[in-house]
PDB file of all heavy atoms in Angstrom:
ATOM      1  N   VAL A   4       0.504  -8.793   9.303  1.00 95.00           N
ATOM      2  CA  VAL A   4       0.415  -7.996   8.076  1.00 95.00           C
ATOM      3  C   VAL A   4       1.780  -8.037   7.424  1.00 95.00           C
ATOM      4  O   VAL A   4       2.764  -7.583   8.004  1.00 95.00           O
ATOM      5  CB  VAL A   4       0.003  -6.527   8.384  1.00 95.00           C
ATOM      6  CG1 VAL A   4      -0.069  -5.729   7.091  1.00 95.00           C
ATOM      7  CG2 VAL A   4      -1.317  -6.489   9.133  1.00 95.00           C
ATOM      8  N   VAL A   5       1.851  -8.589   6.217  1.00 95.00           N
ATOM      9  CA  VAL A   5       3.145  -8.809   5.568  1.00 95.00           C
ATOM     10  C   VAL A   5       3.123  -8.236   4.170  1.00 95.00           C
ATOM     11  O   VAL A   5       2.279  -8.606   3.342  1.00 95.00           O
ATOM     12  CB  VAL A   5       3.465 -10.321   5.500  1.00 95.00           C
ATOM     13  CG1 VAL A   5       4.823 -10.528   4.828  1.00 95.00           C
ATOM     14  CG2 VAL A   5       3.455 -10.917   6.909  1.00 95.00           C
ATOM     15  N   GLU A   6       4.072  -7.344   3.889  1.00 94.00           N
ATOM     16  CA  GLU A   6       4.227  -6.779   2.540  1.00 94.00           C
ATOM     17  C   GLU A   6       5.301  -7.539   1.790  1.00 94.00           C
ATOM     18  O   GLU A   6       6.214  -8.100   2.378  1.00 94.00           O
ATOM     19  CB  GLU A   6       4.630  -5.288   2.574  1.00 94.00           C
ATOM     20  CG  GLU A   6       3.709  -4.385   3.336  1.00 94.00           C
ATOM     21  CD  GLU A   6       4.268  -4.051   4.693  1.00 94.00           C
ATOM     22  OE1 GLU A   6       5.071  -4.858   5.220  1.00 94.00           O
ATOM     23  OE2 GLU A   6       3.900  -3.003   5.242  1.00 94.00           O
ATOM     24  N   SER A   7       5.204  -7.492   0.476  1.00 94.00           N
ATOM     25  CA  SER A   7       6.242  -8.040  -0.390  1.00 94.00           C
ATOM     26  C   SER A   7       6.195  -7.333  -1.725  1.00 94.00           C
ATOM     27  O   SER A   7       5.195  -6.692  -2.056  1.00 94.00           O
ATOM     28  CB  SER A   7       6.053  -9.551  -0.571  1.00 94.00           C
ATOM     29  OG  SER A   7       4.806  -9.825  -1.185  1.00 94.00           O
ATOM     30  N   GLY A   8       7.293  -7.452  -2.496  1.00 94.00           N
ATOM     31  CA  GLY A   8       7.292  -6.940  -3.855  1.00 94.00           C
ATOM     32  C   GLY A   8       8.079  -5.669  -4.068  1.00 94.00           C
ATOM     33  O   GLY A   8       8.106  -5.154  -5.198  1.00 94.00           O
ATOM     34  N   GLY A   9       8.718  -5.118  -3.058  1.00 91.00           N
ATOM     35  CA  GLY A   9       9.525  -3.924  -3.281  1.00 91.00           C
ATOM     36  C   GLY A   9      10.759  -4.222  -4.100  1.00 91.00           C
ATOM     37  O   GLY A   9      11.034  -5.361  -4.465  1.00 91.00           O
ATOM     38  N   GLY A  10      11.503  -3.168  -4.406  1.00 96.00           N
ATOM     39  CA  GLY A  10      12.724  -3.368  -5.174  1.00 96.00           C
ATOM     40  C   GLY A  10      13.229  -2.080  -5.802  1.00 96.00           C
ATOM     41  O   GLY A  10      12.777  -0.993  -5.454  1.00 96.00           O
ATOM     42  N   LEU A  11      14.173  -2.259  -6.711  1.00 97.00           N
ATOM     43  CA  LEU A  11      14.785  -1.142  -7.424  1.00 97.00           C
ATOM     44  C   LEU A  11      14.301  -1.125  -8.854  1.00 97.00           C
ATOM     45  O   LEU A  11      14.296  -2.181  -9.521  1.00 97.00           O
ATOM     46  CB  LEU A  11      16.307  -1.271  -7.378  1.00 97.00           C
ATOM     47  CG  LEU A  11      17.133  -0.296  -8.221  1.00 97.00           C
ATOM     48  CD1 LEU A  11      16.968   1.118  -7.718  1.00 97.00           C
ATOM     49  CD2 LEU A  11      18.602  -0.713  -8.215  1.00 97.00           C
ATOM     50  N   LEU A  18       6.194  -1.489 -10.591  1.00 97.00           N
ATOM     51  CA  LEU A  18       6.345  -2.491  -9.545  1.00 97.00           C
ATOM     52  C   LEU A  18       4.963  -2.793  -8.979  1.00 97.00           C
ATOM     53  O   LEU A  18       4.069  -1.929  -9.030  1.00 97.00           O
ATOM     54  CB  LEU A  18       7.242  -1.972  -8.398  1.00 97.00           C
ATOM     55  CG  LEU A  18       8.748  -1.984  -8.560  1.00 97.00           C
ATOM     56  CD1 LEU A  18       9.405  -1.297  -7.370  1.00 97.00           C
ATOM     57  CD2 LEU A  18       9.276  -3.388  -8.724  1.00 97.00           C
ATOM     58  N   ARG A  19       4.813  -3.984  -8.423  1.00 97.00           N
ATOM     59  CA  ARG A  19       3.576  -4.312  -7.730  1.00 97.00           C
ATOM     60  C   ARG A  19       3.900  -4.775  -6.324  1.00 97.00           C
ATOM     61  O   ARG A  19       4.716  -5.694  -6.118  1.00 97.00           O
ATOM     62  CB  ARG A  19       2.792  -5.415  -8.463  1.00 97.00           C
ATOM     63  CG  ARG A  19       1.407  -5.615  -7.870  1.00 97.00           C
ATOM     64  CD  ARG A  19       0.613  -6.680  -8.589  1.00 97.00           C
ATOM     65  NE  ARG A  19       1.023  -8.019  -8.194  1.00 97.00           N
ATOM     66  CZ  ARG A  19       0.275  -9.118  -8.365  1.00 97.00           C
ATOM     67  NH1 ARG A  19      -0.904  -9.000  -8.925  1.00 97.00           N
ATOM     68  NH2 ARG A  19       0.735 -10.287  -7.976  1.00 97.00           N
ATOM     69  N   LEU A  20       3.267  -4.132  -5.357  1.00 97.00           N
ATOM     70  CA  LEU A  20       3.409  -4.525  -3.960  1.00 97.00           C
ATOM     71  C   LEU A  20       2.211  -5.395  -3.567  1.00 97.00           C
ATOM     72  O   LEU A  20       1.110  -5.185  -4.041  1.00 97.00           O
ATOM     73  CB  LEU A  20       3.462  -3.306  -3.057  1.00 97.00           C
ATOM     74  CG  LEU A  20       4.614  -2.330  -3.276  1.00 97.00           C
ATOM     75  CD1 LEU A  20       4.495  -1.137  -2.315  1.00 97.00           C
ATOM     76  CD2 LEU A  20       5.947  -3.002  -3.087  1.00 97.00           C
ATOM     77  N   SER A  21       2.481  -6.346  -2.669  1.00 97.00           N
ATOM     78  CA  SER A  21       1.428  -7.198  -2.140  1.00 97.00           C
ATOM     79  C   SER A  21       1.368  -7.042  -0.625  1.00 97.00           C
ATOM     80  O   SER A  21       2.387  -6.810   0.024  1.00 97.00           O
ATOM     81  CB  SER A  21       1.698  -8.665  -2.488  1.00 97.00           C
ATOM     82  OG  SER A  21       1.776  -8.862  -3.873  1.00 97.00           O
ATOM     83  N   CYS A  22       0.173  -7.199  -0.086  1.00 96.00           N
ATOM     84  CA  CYS A  22      -0.016  -7.161   1.352  1.00 96.00           C
ATOM     85  C   CYS A  22      -0.947  -8.300   1.743  1.00 96.00           C
ATOM     86  O   CYS A  22      -2.079  -8.365   1.225  1.00 96.00           O
ATOM     87  CB  CYS A  22      -0.600  -5.840   1.792  1.00 96.00           C
ATOM     88  SG  CYS A  22      -1.040  -5.775   3.565  1.00 96.00           S
ATOM     89  N   ALA A  23      -0.494  -9.150   2.621  1.00 95.00           N
ATOM     90  CA  ALA A  23      -1.312 -10.267   3.097  1.00 95.00           C
ATOM     91  C   ALA A  23      -1.553 -10.062   4.574  1.00 95.00           C
ATOM     92  O   ALA A  23      -0.602 -10.022   5.366  1.00 95.00           O
ATOM     93  CB  ALA A  23      -0.613 -11.605   2.850  1.00 95.00           C
ATOM     94  N   ALA A  24      -2.822  -9.886   4.941  1.00 93.00           N
ATOM     95  CA  ALA A  24      -3.194  -9.698   6.340  1.00 93.00           C
ATOM     96  C   ALA A  24      -3.969 -10.916   6.824  1.00 93.00           C
ATOM     97  O   ALA A  24      -4.740 -11.504   6.066  1.00 93.00           O
ATOM     98  CB  ALA A  24      -4.034  -8.441   6.493  1.00 93.00           C
ATOM     99  N   TRP A  34      -2.315   1.756   1.880  1.00 97.00           N
ATOM    100  CA  TRP A  34      -0.864   1.861   1.669  1.00 97.00           C
ATOM    101  C   TRP A  34      -0.401   3.239   2.100  1.00 97.00           C
ATOM    102  O   TRP A  34      -1.044   4.242   1.758  1.00 97.00           O
ATOM    103  CB  TRP A  34      -0.512   1.626   0.208  1.00 97.00           C
ATOM    104  CG  TRP A  34      -0.703   0.220  -0.256  1.00 97.00           C
ATOM    105  CD1 TRP A  34      -1.762  -0.284  -0.942  1.00 97.00           C
ATOM    106  CD2 TRP A  34       0.209  -0.866  -0.047  1.00 97.00           C
ATOM    107  NE1 TRP A  34      -1.587  -1.623  -1.171  1.00 97.00           N
ATOM    108  CE2 TRP A  34      -0.367  -2.002  -0.655  1.00 97.00           C
ATOM    109  CE3 TRP A  34       1.456  -1.003   0.569  1.00 97.00           C
ATOM    110  CZ2 TRP A  34       0.239  -3.260  -0.650  1.00 97.00           C
ATOM    111  CZ3 TRP A  34       2.063  -2.238   0.558  1.00 97.00           C
ATOM    112  CH2 TRP A  34       1.464  -3.360  -0.046  1.00 97.00           C
ATOM    113  N   THR A  76      -6.110  -9.847   1.241  1.00 92.00           N
ATOM    114  CA  THR A  76      -4.915  -9.693   0.417  1.00 92.00           C
ATOM    115  C   THR A  76      -5.129  -8.506  -0.518  1.00 92.00           C
ATOM    116  O   THR A  76      -6.170  -8.422  -1.193  1.00 92.00           O
ATOM    117  CB  THR A  76      -4.638 -10.955  -0.410  1.00 92.00           C
ATOM    118  OG1 THR A  76      -4.367 -12.043   0.482  1.00 92.00           O
ATOM    119  CG2 THR A  76      -3.428 -10.752  -1.319  1.00 92.00           C
ATOM    120  N   MET A  77      -4.149  -7.622  -0.534  1.00 92.00           N
ATOM    121  CA  MET A  77      -4.288  -6.377  -1.270  1.00 92.00           C
ATOM    122  C   MET A  77      -3.042  -6.113  -2.084  1.00 92.00           C
ATOM    123  O   MET A  77      -1.934  -6.536  -1.701  1.00 92.00           O
ATOM    124  CB  MET A  77      -4.501  -5.230  -0.253  1.00 92.00           C
ATOM    125  CG  MET A  77      -4.554  -3.853  -0.830  1.00 92.00           C
ATOM    126  SD  MET A  77      -4.795  -2.608   0.434  1.00 92.00           S
ATOM    127  CE  MET A  77      -3.247  -2.734   1.318  1.00 92.00           C
ATOM    128  N   TYR A  78      -3.218  -5.442  -3.201  1.00 95.00           N
ATOM    129  CA  TYR A  78      -2.098  -5.136  -4.085  1.00 95.00           C
ATOM    130  C   TYR A  78      -2.030  -3.639  -4.384  1.00 95.00           C
ATOM    131  O   TYR A  78      -3.047  -2.956  -4.365  1.00 95.00           O
ATOM    132  CB  TYR A  78      -2.228  -5.902  -5.401  1.00 95.00           C
ATOM    133  CG  TYR A  78      -2.354  -7.386  -5.217  1.00 95.00           C
ATOM    134  CD1 TYR A  78      -3.612  -7.996  -5.160  1.00 95.00           C
ATOM    135  CD2 TYR A  78      -1.232  -8.193  -5.069  1.00 95.00           C
ATOM    136  CE1 TYR A  78      -3.736  -9.372  -4.984  1.00 95.00           C
ATOM    137  CE2 TYR A  78      -1.334  -9.555  -4.881  1.00 95.00           C
ATOM    138  CZ  TYR A  78      -2.595 -10.143  -4.850  1.00 95.00           C
ATOM    139  OH  TYR A  78      -2.720 -11.505  -4.654  1.00 95.00           O
ATOM    140  N   LEU A  79      -0.839  -3.188  -4.682  1.00 97.00           N
ATOM    141  CA  LEU A  79      -0.640  -1.812  -5.169  1.00 97.00           C
ATOM    142  C   LEU A  79       0.180  -1.892  -6.439  1.00 97.00           C
ATOM    143  O   LEU A  79       1.378  -2.197  -6.409  1.00 97.00           O
ATOM    144  CB  LEU A  79       0.070  -0.959  -4.126  1.00 97.00           C
ATOM    145  CG  LEU A  79       0.271   0.520  -4.509  1.00 97.00           C
ATOM    146  CD1 LEU A  79      -1.081   1.231  -4.601  1.00 97.00           C
ATOM    147  CD2 LEU A  79       1.191   1.230  -3.543  1.00 97.00           C
ATOM    148  N   GLN A  80      -0.465  -1.662  -7.566  1.00 97.00           N
ATOM    149  CA  GLN A  80       0.226  -1.624  -8.856  1.00 97.00           C
ATOM    150  C   GLN A  80       0.730  -0.206  -9.075  1.00 97.00           C
ATOM    151  O   GLN A  80      -0.081   0.736  -9.127  1.00 97.00           O
ATOM    152  CB  GLN A  80      -0.715  -2.049  -9.973  1.00 97.00           C
ATOM    153  CG  GLN A  80      -0.100  -1.976 -11.351  1.00 97.00           C
ATOM    154  CD  GLN A  80       1.030  -2.996 -11.534  1.00 97.00           C
ATOM    155  OE1 GLN A  80       0.904  -4.142 -11.107  1.00 97.00           O
ATOM    156  NE2 GLN A  80       2.115  -2.576 -12.147  1.00 97.00           N
ATOM    157  N   MET A  81       2.030  -0.070  -9.211  1.00 98.00           N
ATOM    158  CA  MET A  81       2.654   1.247  -9.369  1.00 98.00           C
ATOM    159  C   MET A  81       3.256   1.343 -10.751  1.00 98.00           C
ATOM    160  O   MET A  81       4.165   0.588 -11.084  1.00 98.00           O
ATOM    161  CB  MET A  81       3.709   1.451  -8.287  1.00 98.00           C
ATOM    162  CG  MET A  81       3.184   1.265  -6.863  1.00 98.00           C
ATOM    163  SD  MET A  81       4.414   1.585  -5.607  1.00 98.00           S
ATOM    164  CE  MET A  81       5.505   0.177  -5.864  1.00 98.00           C
ATOM    165  N   VAL A  91       9.886   3.798   1.862  1.00 98.00           N
ATOM    166  CA  VAL A  91       9.454   2.516   2.425  1.00 98.00           C
ATOM    167  C   VAL A  91       7.923   2.532   2.409  1.00 98.00           C
ATOM    168  O   VAL A  91       7.302   3.467   2.912  1.00 98.00           O
ATOM    169  CB  VAL A  91       9.974   2.295   3.862  1.00 98.00           C
ATOM    170  CG1 VAL A  91       9.436   0.975   4.413  1.00 98.00           C
ATOM    171  CG2 VAL A  91      11.494   2.320   3.877  1.00 98.00           C
ATOM    172  N   TYR A  92       7.339   1.530   1.813  1.00 98.00           N
ATOM    173  CA  TYR A  92       5.892   1.437   1.683  1.00 98.00           C
ATOM    174  C   TYR A  92       5.355   0.480   2.745  1.00 98.00           C
ATOM    175  O   TYR A  92       5.844  -0.656   2.880  1.00 98.00           O
ATOM    176  CB  TYR A  92       5.513   0.957   0.292  1.00 98.00           C
ATOM    177  CG  TYR A  92       5.665   2.055  -0.747  1.00 98.00           C
ATOM    178  CD1 TYR A  92       6.926   2.513  -1.121  1.00 98.00           C
ATOM    179  CD2 TYR A  92       4.543   2.651  -1.331  1.00 98.00           C
ATOM    180  CE1 TYR A  92       7.065   3.545  -2.054  1.00 98.00           C
ATOM    181  CE2 TYR A  92       4.682   3.665  -2.269  1.00 98.00           C
ATOM    182  CZ  TYR A  92       5.937   4.105  -2.613  1.00 98.00           C
ATOM    183  OH  TYR A  92       6.072   5.115  -3.532  1.00 98.00           O
ATOM    184  N   TYR A  93       4.336   0.969   3.451  1.00 97.00           N
ATOM    185  CA  TYR A  93       3.736   0.185   4.538  1.00 97.00           C
ATOM    186  C   TYR A  93       2.292  -0.139   4.227  1.00 97.00           C
ATOM    187  O   TYR A  93       1.521   0.710   3.747  1.00 97.00           O
ATOM    188  CB  TYR A  93       3.773   0.977   5.841  1.00 97.00           C
ATOM    189  CG  TYR A  93       5.159   1.257   6.356  1.00 97.00           C
ATOM    190  CD1 TYR A  93       5.824   2.430   6.014  1.00 97.00           C
ATOM    191  CD2 TYR A  93       5.813   0.360   7.196  1.00 97.00           C
ATOM    192  CE1 TYR A  93       7.100   2.706   6.473  1.00 97.00           C
ATOM    193  CE2 TYR A  93       7.093   0.633   7.675  1.00 97.00           C
ATOM    194  CZ  TYR A  93       7.722   1.802   7.299  1.00 97.00           C
ATOM    195  OH  TYR A  93       8.988   2.058   7.786  1.00 97.00           O
ATOM    196  N   CYS A  94       1.909  -1.345   4.550  1.00 97.00           N
ATOM    197  CA  CYS A  94       0.509  -1.757   4.474  1.00 97.00           C
ATOM    198  C   CYS A  94      -0.134  -1.561   5.832  1.00 97.00           C
ATOM    199  O   CYS A  94       0.464  -1.885   6.871  1.00 97.00           O
ATOM    200  CB  CYS A  94       0.430  -3.218   4.042  1.00 97.00           C
ATOM    201  SG  CYS A  94      -1.258  -3.899   4.044  1.00 97.00           S
ATOM    202  N   LYS A  95      -1.331  -1.025   5.857  1.00 97.00           N
ATOM    203  CA  LYS A  95      -2.083  -0.842   7.101  1.00 97.00           C
ATOM    204  C   LYS A  95      -3.412  -1.570   6.959  1.00 97.00           C
ATOM    205  O   LYS A  95      -4.138  -1.363   5.981  1.00 97.00           O
ATOM    206  CB  LYS A  95      -2.322   0.632   7.360  1.00 97.00           C
ATOM    207  CG  LYS A  95      -3.093   0.925   8.636  1.00 97.00           C
ATOM    208  CD  LYS A  95      -3.314   2.429   8.782  1.00 97.00           C
ATOM    209  CE  LYS A  95      -4.093   2.772  10.030  1.00 97.00           C
ATOM    210  NZ  LYS A  95      -4.324   4.246  10.147  1.00 97.00           N
ATOM    211  N   GLY A 105       2.316  -3.421   8.607  1.00 96.00           N
ATOM    212  CA  GLY A 105       3.330  -4.346   8.177  1.00 96.00           C
ATOM    213  C   GLY A 105       4.712  -3.800   8.452  1.00 96.00           C
ATOM    214  O   GLY A 105       4.871  -2.672   8.934  1.00 96.00           O
ATOM    215  N   GLN A 106       5.724  -4.572   8.079  1.00 95.00           N
ATOM    216  CA  GLN A 106       7.100  -4.197   8.394  1.00 95.00           C
ATOM    217  C   GLN A 106       7.691  -3.230   7.370  1.00 95.00           C
ATOM    218  O   GLN A 106       8.722  -2.628   7.614  1.00 95.00           O
ATOM    219  CB  GLN A 106       7.979  -5.469   8.459  1.00 95.00           C
ATOM    220  CG  GLN A 106       8.413  -6.029   7.128  1.00 95.00           C
ATOM    221  CD  GLN A 106       7.324  -6.733   6.346  1.00 95.00           C
ATOM    222  OE1 GLN A 106       6.199  -6.925   6.848  1.00 95.00           O
ATOM    223  NE2 GLN A 106       7.623  -7.184   5.151  1.00 95.00           N
ATOM    224  N   GLY A 107       7.025  -3.079   6.248  1.00 96.00           N
ATOM    225  CA  GLY A 107       7.495  -2.138   5.214  1.00 96.00           C
ATOM    226  C   GLY A 107       8.242  -2.828   4.084  1.00 96.00           C
ATOM    227  O   GLY A 107       8.886  -3.865   4.292  1.00 96.00           O
ATOM    228  N   ALA A 108       8.145  -2.254   2.921  1.00 96.00           N
ATOM    229  CA  ALA A 108       8.837  -2.743   1.720  1.00 96.00           C
ATOM    230  C   ALA A 108       9.526  -1.556   1.053  1.00 96.00           C
ATOM    231  O   ALA A 108       8.873  -0.552   0.752  1.00 96.00           O
ATOM    232  CB  ALA A 108       7.871  -3.423   0.755  1.00 96.00           C
ATOM    233  N   GLN A 109      10.808  -1.680   0.816  1.00 97.00           N
ATOM    234  CA  GLN A 109      11.574  -0.582   0.203  1.00 97.00           C
ATOM    235  C   GLN A 109      11.319  -0.520  -1.285  1.00 97.00           C
ATOM    236  O   GLN A 109      11.428  -1.548  -1.981  1.00 97.00           O
ATOM    237  CB  GLN A 109      13.063  -0.763   0.456  1.00 97.00           C
ATOM    238  CG  GLN A 109      13.937   0.294  -0.187  1.00 97.00           C
ATOM    239  CD  GLN A 109      13.769   1.662   0.452  1.00 97.00           C
ATOM    240  OE1 GLN A 109      13.812   1.789   1.671  1.00 97.00           O
ATOM    241  NE2 GLN A 109      13.597   2.703  -0.370  1.00 97.00           N
ATOM    242  N   VAL A 110      10.993   0.653  -1.761  1.00 98.00           N
ATOM    243  CA  VAL A 110      10.861   0.918  -3.197  1.00 98.00           C
ATOM    244  C   VAL A 110      11.856   2.027  -3.522  1.00 98.00           C
ATOM    245  O   VAL A 110      11.801   3.108  -2.940  1.00 98.00           O
ATOM    246  CB  VAL A 110       9.432   1.353  -3.590  1.00 98.00           C
ATOM    247  CG1 VAL A 110       9.383   1.815  -5.019  1.00 98.00           C
ATOM    248  CG2 VAL A 110       8.465   0.197  -3.347  1.00 98.00           C
TER     249      VAL A 110
END
Side-chain angles (χ1 to χ4, degrees):
V4 180
V5 180
E6 303 102 335
S7 61
L11 172 65
L18 281 175
R19 189 180 78 161
L20 299 178
S21 301
C22 173
W34 290 99
T76 297
M77 175 180 67
Y78 304 95
L79 182 67
Q80 178 66 43
M81 305 183 290
V91 178
Y92 284 70
Y93 296 92
C94 175
K95 180 181 179 182
Q106 80 286 355
Q109 177 69 48
V110 172

